[in-house]
Amino acid sequence: MIATFDVPRGGPRAAGRAAAGLLLAAVTAGVELVLLAVAALLMAYSMAFSRGRRKVPGAVAEGAELLAELELWRLRVFLGEDRAVRYGPLKALAYLVLRVPVGLLGGVILLLLAYGAAAAVRLAVGWWITGDHLDGIPPTWWIVLYTAVAGVVLLFLAVQGLVGVAAMERSVARRCLGPSPLEEYERRIAQLSVTRAQVVDAVDDERRRIERDLHDGVQQRLVALGMLIGRARRAGDGERAAELLRQAHEESQRALADLREVTWRVYPAALDGEGLRAALETVAERSALPVVIDFDVPGRPPHAVETAAYFVVCEAVTNAAKHSGAASVRVAVAGSATMIGVRIEDDGGGGADPGGGGLAGLARRVAALDGTFTVDSPRGGPTVITAELPCG
């Protein structure tokens, strides 16, 4: 059985979600404790009367896998991280054996927290409302200060205990259900092999596109230019020759513009000299659609990341102008020292095919940097293209 769980987000909501997950973990630990007790009896019976041919009875295997799946769902929703796991009945049972004490420990800490909160409320009510002082001690300022300091220290210890329990929950799941280091290496090698093949394909596609642009665009214009000059040389009439030379001059300007366009699409010089922001601003200026750019990247990311981010934006804006029927495009580039995120949204009709040549090439380019690339383009729009590029 294979499953995945996601990375938890930070903030108060995540803390509340994690606390709810630990409370649920304490409840499921009680259920799993009962299952393990029953499983021990059934497995002992099975080993005694089946002569070792069937180590895990079917009911135990199904129950263990069902509870393991429930725990993975809990980890994914409340605590989890994005990691594929693979397990069978024995691994599921081993996981439950190890996680039950962890879940019960979390439950004990939560009970202590609830007891401490109730005691604090009762103490405050006794001091300042009913006058029923604990142990007959009145609430002088130093008694209140002493109690507050002790309460804060105990609260800090309890919260740290819950953080530790959450870490143990993830660690137990990874060790018991996750792939072994050898499997991780094999998976990584396979991933790198696929990525390398995709990069080779992407480079080959790009080469063919450049050849096509040169053959269908620049080369045709240069041929027309040569013909105009030849006709001008053969024209006996001076006025006719001047007209042909004027057309030849205009054709040379168009050929030069096409050549600049091809050069720009191969690699923009601004990306080297002035950086990603300047290159994207040039994309916006050259676009037939209004393009709004929100750029928030401190410093300069690695050159390969800048290049990939540029081509993602450039291709997405070009597609929006050519195929989507959009009236405007919004580009957001944000990042930190470790990650660059790119998001392009247009207000067109949607329906973009992620398997199309351009978008598939972008996906391969991003995958070569271990990044992620997604296309969300329902019929009727809008189209949202995102890429996340690690910086190291």
Side-chain angles (χ1 to χ4, degrees), residues 355-377:
L359 293 178
L362 291 180
R364 290 195 293 264
R365 186 186 287 269
V366 172
L369 298 175
D370 283 341
T372 60
F373 181 81
T374 60
V375 178
D376 182 14
S377 183

Side-chain angles (χ1 to χ4, degrees), residues 198-351:
Q198 290 177 338
V199 169
V200 172
D201 289 343
V203 171
D204 195 46
D205 290 345
E206 189 69 11
R207 180 184 58 78
R208 285 199 296 269
R209 185 186 63 78
I210 295 170
E211 289 176 351
R212 186 171 59 250
D213 289 346
L214 290 174
H215 180 269
D216 297 342
V218 178
Q219 180 176 321
Q220 298 303 318
R221 293 201 179 279
L222 290 177
V223 169
L225 174 62
M227 293 176 64
L228 286 171
I229 293 175
R231 291 172 59 190
R233 291 181 60 188
R234 292 191 298 272
D237 184 359
E239 186 176 347
R240 175 63 177 164
E243 173 63 20
L244 290 171
L245 286 175
R246 184 189 64 77
Q247 294 179 15
H249 179 262
E250 292 176 354
E251 195 65 26
S252 70
Q253 297 299 312
R254 287 191 285 269
L256 185 60
D258 285 354
L259 188 59
R260 284 175 180 161
E261 184 69 24
V262 171
T263 305
W264 177 264
R265 292 186 64 185
V266 173
Y267 189 85
L271 200 55
D272 272 340
E274 302 174 56
L276 180 59
R277 183 171 194 158
L280 295 182
E281 288 174 350
T282 308
V283 171
E285 292 172 359
R286 298 166 66 91
S287 172
L289 294 176
V291 179
V292 177
I293 296 179
D294 182 9
F295 190 90
D296 182 18
V297 179
R300 288 199 64 170
H303 179 68
V305 174
E306 274 192 331
T307 304
Y310 166 79
F311 279 106
V312 168
V313 174
C314 190
E315 184 72 23
V317 170
T318 302
N319 286 346
K322 287 184 177 179
H323 310 298
S324 72
S328 64
V329 180
R330 180 173 292 276
V331 177
V333 183
S336 62
T338 59
M339 183 71 73
I340 298 293
V342 179
R343 185 177 191 276
I344 305 100
E345 179 177 358
D346 67 54
D347 57 358

Side-chain angles (χ1 to χ4, degrees), residues 45 49 70 84 90 121-122 134 158-159 167 216 247 274 312 327 329:
Y45 177 85
F49 293 97
L70 174 64
L90 284 177
V121 171
R122 193 180 68 173
L134 182 66
V159 171
D216 297 342
Q247 294 179 15
E274 302 174 56
V312 168
V329 180

Side-chain angles (χ1 to χ4, degrees), residues 94-162:
Y95 167 64
L96 295 180
V97 168
L98 292 178
R99 82 144 303 269
V100 163
V102 177
L104 293 177
L105 176 61
V108 170
I109 296 175
L110 288 172
L111 281 177
L112 291 175
L113 266 175
Y115 175 79
V121 171
R122 193 180 68 173
L123 189 61
V125 170
W127 276 350
W128 292 300
I129 297 179
T130 63
D132 183 15
H133 302 158
L134 182 66
D135 294 333
I137 301 175
T140 59
W141 70 268
W142 66 271
I143 286 293
V144 173
L145 178 62
Y146 168 80
T147 306
V149 170
V152 169
V153 171
L154 291 175
L155 177 63
F156 174 78
L157 293 176
V159 171
Q160 290 301 309
L162 289 177

